[in-house]
């Protein structure tokens, strides 16, 4: 007789059938029916329709039936809140039952029913149960407080349940204490106000320590975690806690062991680092950690991630345990990779021989990922242990001889690092490396090889040929390889200028003209300019001595490490990230290690150093992420980053790239003058300057003065921006019967101080029925008076007949100046700086362009896109512009794919210009 | 704490779910399947998977994935241990923990899960307490239930052990034959390199007990050489203080089967290797590859090595092997490319060997490295570390129990590189 029989009916009327059975008079049949319902529920079938029928079975003295009904209630009460109310009376009655099991069951089930109406009725029974004479009921009630807090935190705080819960910490029964601790930890996690009420003090810590020995293993985990979150006041107290916690290190439950490790690791910081007790503790920590590694692989994995932290913080603990990290061929891959990482951390001159032998063994395994990491590990050993570098290099050479493609590529990547660490030592192997040139197909390996060739160009006779061979497919290469190739060839040129001129010109033109990667172009231009203006400086910059790479490149930054040590055994320790970085709703408390004790006494102010996380709602991505975006394109991974010493100008920061533009801008002619590369280059340059003047949008001329009002003179005009200047394009048409002449023009005071920069030149006399046009350059140095609308301009035109007054609107975009591109950091700072009430949103309807065209179009009109970001499928363009009078305006343009309506948010100090700018966007984007 | 729980079978069916807080749709398991699809082997699924709002912590046992969903910062080992414990309890209840046995006992599984955790916090995780609350299915009981028309499935009283200082033991235990058996089992994990020297060898030992004693016995177990045990994990019943001061194990035992201690003897102490291999493996084009392995005992302290099984995982390019063993039988799994040779016991007179040819796929390159060999074996009446029980004393009860100690050495992860 098995439960699978409950699934045997597949007929249509299944629910109907169950309903009938539930209403049966026979107890036995009823119970079977409820079981059938539960079985269907377990596999995710919807049996909520049976709610009233099942609830009817609740009033029973049969405990099994009661429990089954409760199971059902917990699952479906949420979807049928009104029905659930029917059950309340039974619950309340059960809370008074003489059997503690039933009392506990009732309060427990009520807590699981997440329906507000029921929760109201829960408070009284819960209060009673928290003070019940039976510890089983109390311990269940403690958890129920946490449940209630999750449903309605305010209610729990208002009803004083927190204090009742805190009282349970002093309960005589350890199981009750443990559950109270568990409930408190969960509540503290989500509510900072509760955290203040529930803060542990020394005397509660002592009570917890007493309960620790007697409660279940699970309770021990809660208690240990709670203890690790409080910081004792002085060294003696810390030591006594350690003494009482260390027996837990020998527990069979891995979770208990690791939680105990956390407490000890944290408190050790407070102990005298030279004391005997400290040394004893160090010795005591090693065996339990090693033991965790003979547990199931899942436990091993968590243990290994934690050991990785522990080894970085206190390498002494496991320094003699290298062998337990040796990899077995049938370990799961996640265990293998972690073990490998720790092996490297533990490597020292004493055990390097063994480690190398192991690594070499691993490099012949089948799992590609693992083999790659093993080869890298050999390189890391070489960098870490100088004495062994030679052995590592020869091991790597052996591996290269295997000709296994991915092994060779990894080997070359790490050899590059070895060269950086030990210059002028192992260059003899370059010849061997060069033999494998053709087999390299991964960007990182190619880039590494090219770096090696460039760096040691003077020792490689055919360096030029080698690099030239790479150059053939330049356009198809990964940007990482392109950048390396560019740098390498420039290095080669500086070392052997005589025969490589052609090569360097080729690569420079490839980089600057044919590439659409701005980093590559920027770097190309910088080299170009450096080479053409000051070859000596170029030599100093490009061939500068590089700082040696550090021994350990992947150590966790110390403050983060300290924080993570406080989170040993938690998810944070597995991800090596502070919980605030990934746990939702985590209140922003940062844990810090207790300050080291020098004198034994600790300044109290420092102990509670909980730094609230700064959470500023920002519309703009952080500066880091913007820069990061740019870097991503260039650099493959963390290890690649070492390749670019800071002294070599790379496009690492956007600041540099904008500087590069200025550099080029000013000295452009001198660079281009003697250049043999014709005018073609200009096109390329124009591109990066982003000022193809003719492309700026010029609205069509409109009639400013109709002939009937101008005594036969019709004036049409518009405004344009060309060559960094505003022009008034004006056409006079003579519709009178006589010649016109003596034209002159004058502006009234206006918002932007526009005035003619030169007198009006027009062919005179203007015969009847003829037109004369001119472009009148305007300056912005005239008298200023704020107009309404802002862009309105009053003009007086005189001819030999009369003086005419006309008024026109200057399209605001002609006021946008060419140097309106704000530096990214300044932009960020400014954006934050401007109060948010200055932000105004506009909608721009029906734009039929994508983000790229949009930014190009806007750029043509001196609205500069500074950064682009994709947020949940939307393109966000961050833009800046500057008006002739020096007013900066920042903008954020939100573009949703498929939606022709863009959202424009403007932010600036002067809000008057907003509507004009909105107008300018409209004009530009719709033309 | 633990929010939800899913059991997934090998074909990707989520056939069991339980939620201790609000319901999380089982589509959350899609994240699990996504990770799983990236893995070459079923064992390689990462134990912790991050999804945008949840964390999936899983274990793989008996061809089933047990997945727990958590939403807040919890100690992951706590969850892993819970999952292992749940599997142990299911095994205890249904003799095995397989898809069929779980499906056959849906309601009990559900009741158990509900009893084990409350709001995601462990409530009753001890098998003996659970068994008092929810009776395991049993043929006899089913008959009684049907005959008497009463249900004995769920107990109406509070389990006695739940709140005592010895939650692991129920009160009122009665046996007609009082007996206590102790098995000292040692597993040797080793890596032996090509030349036969030991890269690493360590012993993981357990003392597993079967205690059927009436009343509340208080036992003391002492060893002849307790010094060996410097890295020990104890069952909660052991009084740590007495171990610290006197190096004896003093405890009130749980009822039935349990693991009293587990210990670890590290590689730094030299571990005797009981068995050695001589091997000669060579790949050549076509079917001309050679495979020749001989097994011989090494340091067995005069005991016989039994249940010897040799496994060899060949690279994918190997098509087949044709071998002749001097004793036992061998088989070759052409999918996993695993050759298993069931050797049996090693007679002192002649040492077993296996010999023959390896056929490679035509055109496939000759494999870089030789395949590693895994050995399984057991030696009864021997604890390799030399650990020996001195005596077992019982206090608190008047009767005289029957006592027995057994020793067994097994291969754990015993690998030989070739």
């Amino acid at each position: 007789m098995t439960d699978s029989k409950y699934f045997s009916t597949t007929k249509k009327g299944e629910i109907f059938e169950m309903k009938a059975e539930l209403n049966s008079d026979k107890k036995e049949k009823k119970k079977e029916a409820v079981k059938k319902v539960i079985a269907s529920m377990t596999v995710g079938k919807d049996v909520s329709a049976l709610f009233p029928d099942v609830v009817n079975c609740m009033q029973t003295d049969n405990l099994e039936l009661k429990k089954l009904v409760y199971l059902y209630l917990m699952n479906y009460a949420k979807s049928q809140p009104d029905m659930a109310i029917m059950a309340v009376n039974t619950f309340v009655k059960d809370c008074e039952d003489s059997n503690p099991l039933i009392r506990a069951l009732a309060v427990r089930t009520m807590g699981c029913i997440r329906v507000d109406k029921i929760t109201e009725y829960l408070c009284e029974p819960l209060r009673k149960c928290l003070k019940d004479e039976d510890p089983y009921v109390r311990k269940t009630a403690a958890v129920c407080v946490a449940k209630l807090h999750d449903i309605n935190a305010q209610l729990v705080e208002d009803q004083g349940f927190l204090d009742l819960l805190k009282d349970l910490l002093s309960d005589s029964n350890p199981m009750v204490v443990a559950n109270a601790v568990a409930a408190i930890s969960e509540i503290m996690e989500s509510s900072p106000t509760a955290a203040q009420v529930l803060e542990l003090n020394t005397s509660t810590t002592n009570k917890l320590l007493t309960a620790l020995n007697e409660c279940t293993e699970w309770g021990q985990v809660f208690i240990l975690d709670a203890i690790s979150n409080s910081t004792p006041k002085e060294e003696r107290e810390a030591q006594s806690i350690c003494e009482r916690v260390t027996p837990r290190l020998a527990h069979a439950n891995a979770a208990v062991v690791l939680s105990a490790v956390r407490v000890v690791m944290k408190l050790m910081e407070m102990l005298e680092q030279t004391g005997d007790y400290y040394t004893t503790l160090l010795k005591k920590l090693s065996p339990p950690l090693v033991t965790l590694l003979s547990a199931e692989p899942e436990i091993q994995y968590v243990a290994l991630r934690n050991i990785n932290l522990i080894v970085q913080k206190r390498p002494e603990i496991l320094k003699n345990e290298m062998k337990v990290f040796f990899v077995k061929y049938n370990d799961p891959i996640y265990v293998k990779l972690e073990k490998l990482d720790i092996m490297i951390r533990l490597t020292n001159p004493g055990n390097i021989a063994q480690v190398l032998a192991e690594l070499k063994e691993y490099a012949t395994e089948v799992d590609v990922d693992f083999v790659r990491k093993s080869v890298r590990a050999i390189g890391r050993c070489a960098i870490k242990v100088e004495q062994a570098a030679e052995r590592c290099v020869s091991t790597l050479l052996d591996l290269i001889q295997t000709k296994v493609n991915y092994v060779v590529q990894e080997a070359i990547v790490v050899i590059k690092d070895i060269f950086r660490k030990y210059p002028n030592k192992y260059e003899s192997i370059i010849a061997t490396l060069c033999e494998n040139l053709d087999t390299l197909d991964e960007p990182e390996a190619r880039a590494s090889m090219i770096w090696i060739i460039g760096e040691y160009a003077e020792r490689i006779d055919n360096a030029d040929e080698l690099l030239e061979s790479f150059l053939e497919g330049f356009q198809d290469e990964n940007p990482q390889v392109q950048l390396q190739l560019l740098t390498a060839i420039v290095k080669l040129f500086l070392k052997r200028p005589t025969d490589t001129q052609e090569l360097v010109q080729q690569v420079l033109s490839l980089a600057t003209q044919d590439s659409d990667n701005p980093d590559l172009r920027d770097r190309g231009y910088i080299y170009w300019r450096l080479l053409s203006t000051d070859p000596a400086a170029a030599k100093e910059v490009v061939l500068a001595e590089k700082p040696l790479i550090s021994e350990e490149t992947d150590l966790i930054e110390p403050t983060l490490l300290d924080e993570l040590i406080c989170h040993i055994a938690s998810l944070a320790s597995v991800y090596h990230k502070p919980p605030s970085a990934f746990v939702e709703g985590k209140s922003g408390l940062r844990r810090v290690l207790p300050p080291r004790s020098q004198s034994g006494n600790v300044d109290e102010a420092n102990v509670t150093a909980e730094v609230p996380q700064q959470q500023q709602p920002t519309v703009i991505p952080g500066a880091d992420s913007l820069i990061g975006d740019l870097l991503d394109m260039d650099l493959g991974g963390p290890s690649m980053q070492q390749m670019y010493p800071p002294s070599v100008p790379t496009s690492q920061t956007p600041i540099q790239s904008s500087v590069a533009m200025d550099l080029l801008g000013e000295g452009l002619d001198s660079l281009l003058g003697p250049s043999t590369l014709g005018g073609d280059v200009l096109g390329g340059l124009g591109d990066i300057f982003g000022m193809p003047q003719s492309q700026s949008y010029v609205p069509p001329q409109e009639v400013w003065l109709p002939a009937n009002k101008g005594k036969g003179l019709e004036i049409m005009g518009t405004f344009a921006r060309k060559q960094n200047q505003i022009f008034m394009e004006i056409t006079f048409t003579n519709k009178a019967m006589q010649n016109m002449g003596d034209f002159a023009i004058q502006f009234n005071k206006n918002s932007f101080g526009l005035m003619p920069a030169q007198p009006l030149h027009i062919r005179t006399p203007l015969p009847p029925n003829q037109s004369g046009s001119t472009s009148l350059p305007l300056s912005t140095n005239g008298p200023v008076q704020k107009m309404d609308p802002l862009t309105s301009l009053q003009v007086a035109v005189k001819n030999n007949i009369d003086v005419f007054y006309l008024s026109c609107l200057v399209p605001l975009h002609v006021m946008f100046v060419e140097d309106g591109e704000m530096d990214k950091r300044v932009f960020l700072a400014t954006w934050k700086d401007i109060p948010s009430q200055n932000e105004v949103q506009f909608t721009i309807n029906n734009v039929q362009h994508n983000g790229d065209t949009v930014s190009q179009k806007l750029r043509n009109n001196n609205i500069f896109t500074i950064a682009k970001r994709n947020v949940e499928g939307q393109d966000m363009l961050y833009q800046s512009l500057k008006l002739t009078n020096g007013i900066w305006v920042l903008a954020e343009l939100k573009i949703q794919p498929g939606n022709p309506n863009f959202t424009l948010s403007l932010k600036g100090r002067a809000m008057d210009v907003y509507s004009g700018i909105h107008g300018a966007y409209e004009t530009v984007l719709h033309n | 704490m633990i929010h939800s729980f899913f059991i997934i079978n090998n074909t990707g069916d989520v056939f069991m779910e339980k939620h201790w807080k609000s319901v999380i749709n089982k589509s959350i398991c899609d994240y699990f399947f996504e990770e799983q699809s990236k893995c070459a082997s079923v064992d390689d699924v990462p134990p912790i998977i991050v999804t945008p709002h949840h964390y999936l912590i899983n274990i793989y046992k008996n061809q089933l994935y047990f997945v727990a969903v958590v939403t807040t910062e919890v100690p992951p080992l706590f969850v892993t241990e819970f999952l292992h414990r749940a599997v142990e309890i299911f095994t205890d209840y249904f003799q095995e923990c397989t898809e069929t046995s779980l499906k056959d006992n849906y309601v009990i599984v559900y009741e158990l899960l509900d009893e084990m955790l409350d709001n995601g916090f462990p409530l009753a995780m001890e098998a003996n307490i659970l068994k008092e609350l929810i009776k395991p299915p049993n043929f006899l009981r089913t008959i009684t239930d049907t005959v008497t028309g009463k249900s004995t499935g769920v107990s109406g009283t509070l389990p006695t052990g739940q709140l005592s200082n010895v939650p692991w033991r129920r009160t009122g235990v009665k046996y007609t034959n009082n007996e206590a058996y102790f098995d000292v089992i040692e597993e040797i994990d080793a890596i032996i390199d090509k030349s036969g020297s030991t890269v690493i060898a360590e012993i993981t030992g357990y003392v597993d007990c079967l205690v059927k004693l009436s009343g509340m016995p208080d036992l003391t177990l002492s060893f002849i050489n307790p010094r060996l045990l410097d890295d020990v994990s104890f069952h909660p019943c052991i009084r740590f203080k007495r171990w610290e001061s006197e190096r004896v194990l003093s405890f009130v035992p749980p009822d039935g089967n349990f693991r009293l201690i587990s210990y670890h003897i590290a590689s730094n102490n030299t571990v005797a290797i009981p068995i050695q291999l001589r091997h000669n493996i060579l790949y050549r084009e076509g079917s001309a590859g050679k495979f020749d392995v001989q097994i011989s005992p090494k340091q067995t302290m005069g005991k016989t090595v039994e249940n010897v099984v040799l496994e060899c995982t060949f690279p994918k390019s190997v098509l087949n092997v044709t071998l002749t063993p001097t004793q036992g039988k061998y088989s070759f799994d052409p999918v996993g490319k695993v050759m298993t040779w069931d050797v049996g016991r090693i007679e002192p007179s002649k040492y077993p060997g296996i010999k023959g040819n390896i056929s490679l796929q035509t055109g496939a390159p000759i494999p870089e490295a030789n395949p590693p060999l895994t050995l399984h074996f057991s030696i009864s009446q021997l604890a390799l570390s030399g650990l020996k029980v001195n005596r077992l004393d019982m206090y608190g009860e008047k009767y005289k129990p029957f006592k027995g100690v057994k020793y067994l050495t097994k291969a754990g992860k015993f690998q030989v590189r070739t």
Side-chain angles (χ1 to χ4, degrees), chain B residues 378-392:
Chain B
S378 64
I379 309 169
S380 36
Q381 291 315 313
L382 173 75
L384 203 62
S385 65
L387 186 74
K388 266 214 153 64
V389 172
N390 183 22
R391 53 182 296 146
L392 177 75

Side-chain angles (χ1 to χ4, degrees), chain A residues 3 31 108 136 571 575 584, chain B residues 50 53 104 114 151 162:
Chain A
D3 290 351
K31 201 175 82 189
R108 186 178 140 204
Y136 182 74
L571 282 171
Y575 288 108
E584 278 179 39
Chain B
V50 195
H53 304 283
D104 281 350
D114 193 58
S151 158
Q162 180 90 313

Side-chain angles (χ1 to χ4, degrees), chain A residues 94-389:
Chain A
D94 282 355
C95 287
E96 306 272 330
D97 199 282
S98 59
N99 184 345
L101 196 60
I102 294 193
R103 291 204 296 276
L105 189 63
V107 76
R108 186 178 140 204
T109 313
M110 265 179 107
C112 292
I113 299 180
R114 308 173 65 87
V115 175
D116 284 340
K117 282 180 193 158
I118 293 221
T119 323
E120 289 164 21
Y121 291 95
L122 177 59
C123 290
E124 276 322 300
L126 178 58
R127 202 186 307 276
K128 260 184 221 157
C129 287
L130 280 168
K131 291 180 174 161
D132 198 283
E133 54 176 24
D134 194 296
Y136 182 74
V137 181
R138 292 202 299 276
K139 101 176 194 177
T140 316
V143 174
C144 193
V145 177
K147 292 182 198 170
L148 191 58
H149 188 270
D150 191 33
I151 303 169
N152 189 341
Q154 200 54 47
L155 187 70
V156 169
E157 280 157 35
D158 293 347
Q159 295 272 334
F161 280 123
L162 293 183
D163 289 321
L164 286 174
L165 196 56
K166 207 175 175 186
D167 292 343
L168 289 187
L169 290 179
S170 324
D171 199 281
S172 57
N173 187 296
M175 246 66 81
V176 178
V177 178
N179 273 18
V181 171
I184 287 178
S185 318
E186 186 163 283
I187 293 173
M188 283 172 85
E189 190 108 326
S190 61
S191 154
T193 48
Q196 286 167 2
V197 181
L198 299 172
E199 187 113 41
L200 298 182
N201 55 30
T202 317
S203 80
T204 34
T205 311
N206 273 328
K207 281 176 201 153
L208 294 187
L209 284 167
T210 318
L212 180 64
N213 291 327
E214 290 168 21
C215 66
T216 65
E217 48 203 302
W218 315 101
Q220 293 183 10
V221 176
F222 296 132
I223 293 184
L224 287 169
D225 287 353
I227 292 176
S228 79
N229 290 344
S230 68
T231 306
K233 297 221 163 37
E234 48 171 21
E235 187 181 346
R236 210 149 19 98
E237 203 184 325
Q239 178 166 342
S240 103
I241 294 177
C242 284
E243 277 163 7
R244 294 171 76 174
V245 164
T246 38
R248 299 298 124 210
L249 292 172
H251 201 285
N253 186 315
V256 175
V257 175
L258 211 53
S259 291
V261 169
R262 156 149 107 199
V263 176
V264 175
M265 278 296 286
K266 188 179 167 191
L267 294 183
M268 274 176 100
E269 194 74 10
M270 291 181 71
L271 301 176
E272 190 81 46
Q273 310 282 308
T274 48
D276 286 345
Y277 187 67
Y278 181 84
T279 328
T280 326
L281 270 186
L282 280 183
K283 275 192 200 130
K284 276 192 176 164
L285 278 175
S286 149
L289 290 173
V290 171
T291 305
L292 288 179
L293 297 182
S294 44
E296 287 86 355
E298 300 92 8
I299 295 180
Q300 285 185 44
Y301 172 73
V302 177
L304 286 165
R305 291 295 286 173
N306 279 285
I307 288 173
N308 201 328
L309 296 173
I310 294 171
V311 162
Q312 289 183 55
K313 180 72 188 166
R314 299 192 196 283
E316 322 77 291
I317 295 172
L318 287 164
K319 63 170 187 259
N320 296 322
E321 300 292 346
M322 170 61 90
K323 281 187 172 179
V324 298
F325 299 103
F326 285 0
V327 173
K328 305 210 168 63
Y329 82 92
N330 47 5
D331 282 335
I333 181 75
Y334 56 82
V335 168
K336 283 184 176 175
L337 296 177
E338 289 305 318
K339 279 188 173 173
L340 203 55
D341 215 42
I342 296 171
M343 278 173 70
I344 304 304
R345 298 210 191 280
L346 290 176
T347 306
N348 60 36
N351 57 24
I352 183 78
Q354 258 182 332
V355 174
L356 262 185
E358 281 295 303
L359 292 176
K360 201 174 168 188
E361 192 73 39
Y362 303 159
T364 63
E365 282 210 23
V366 271
D367 192 316
V368 177
D369 279 346
F370 182 57
V371 171
R372 282 173 180 276
K373 197 152 184 205
S374 304
V375 176
R376 288 225 174 187
I378 297 176
R380 281 169 68 189
C381 281
I383 289 164
K384 195 169 173 208
V385 184
E386 183 162 3
Q387 297 91 316

Side-chain angles (χ1 to χ4, degrees), chain A residues 758-791:
Chain A
Q758 47 180 261
L760 186 67
H761 288 291
I762 199 131
R763 182 171 50 94
T764 47
L766 187 64
N769 279 328
Q770 297 245 344
S771 298
S773 297
T774 185
S775 268
L776 177 69
L778 305 180
S779 81
T780 50
N781 306 325
V784 176
Q785 181 191 0
K786 195 173 164 193
M787 305 294 289
D788 189 38
L790 207 63
T791 48

Side-chain angles (χ1 to χ4, degrees), chain B residues 333-347:
Chain B
D333 163 21
V335 181
K337 310 286 180 194
V338 182
M339 191 283 292
T340 312
W341 174 29
D342 192 346
V343 186
R345 56 191 273 144
I346 301 181
E347 303 293 343

Side-chain angles (χ1 to χ4, degrees), chain B residues 154-168:
Chain B
V154 169
S155 145
T157 51
L158 193 61
T160 46
Q162 180 90 313
L163 292 156
S164 71
N165 283 341
V166 280
W168 51 87

Side-chain angles (χ1 to χ4, degrees), chain A residues 705-714 735 804:
Chain A
L705 182 74
N708 54 1
K709 285 191 181 166
K711 298 189 174 163
L713 173 68
E714 185 188 75
K735 296 208 168 163
F804 309 100

